[in-house]
Amino acid sequence: MGERTAERATGMNPKTEGGAGCLLAGLGATAAPLVWAPRAAVNIDGGFEGHARDLSVLFIDLPLIVLGGALVPLFTWALATRWVHRPWVAALVALATLALAVWGLTEWWTPRRQPDPGYGPGI
């Protein structure tokens, strides 16, 4: 009986609803690191002679970026399906929230860059 009421409320089979949520979580877990990686490349390769290498972006920031990218659309999908009861609207809300979260990530997170080690511009 629980499956029937869930299917009537959202118009989706609970397995399909769960699959859509997992698909959105996978999309977020893929999109967030792809946007994050170019900004973190400076810390990974270290620049000139590796003086600015900071591998903590791989051990601390990357797992948090992937986790946030997966959880933000998943929780948004779950909340939107409970409130709106239309799966396509919930998917649009989850995608819009993911886009806003990725935009917020690029605006807020900037990897730490050490100053140039005495080599000024023009050398």
Side-chain angles (χ1 to χ4, degrees):
M1 181 170 166
E3 287 184 20
R4 248 187 203 158
T5 56
E7 188 173 346
R8 269 186 295 184
T10 62
M12 288 181 74
N13 183 354
K15 288 183 181 180
T16 307
E17 186 176 343
C22 288
L23 181 70
L24 286 167
L27 179 70
T30 304
L34 287 176
V35 171
W36 167 85
R39 301 187 84 192
V42 172
N43 287 353
I44 295 169
D45 70 1
F48 181 70
E49 292 184 353
H51 76 279
R53 181 169 286 151
D54 181 16
L55 296 180
S56 70
V57 295
L58 292 177
F59 304 121
I60 296 170
D61 295 346
L62 180 61
L64 292 174
I65 297 293
V66 172
L67 186 66
L71 292 180
V72 165
L74 185 63
F75 286 145
T76 306
W77 165 257
L79 289 173
T81 54
R82 301 298 181 251
W83 289 341
V84 180
H85 302 296
R86 294 198 190 324
W88 63 273
V89 173
L92 286 176
V93 168
L95 288 174
T97 305
L98 175 63
L100 284 173
V102 167
W103 172 78
L105 169 72
T106 59
E107 289 296 317
W108 172 74
W109 185 80
T110 302
R112 182 177 64 90
R113 294 186 184 190
Q114 295 176 351
D116 200 7
Y119 304 105
I123 291 185

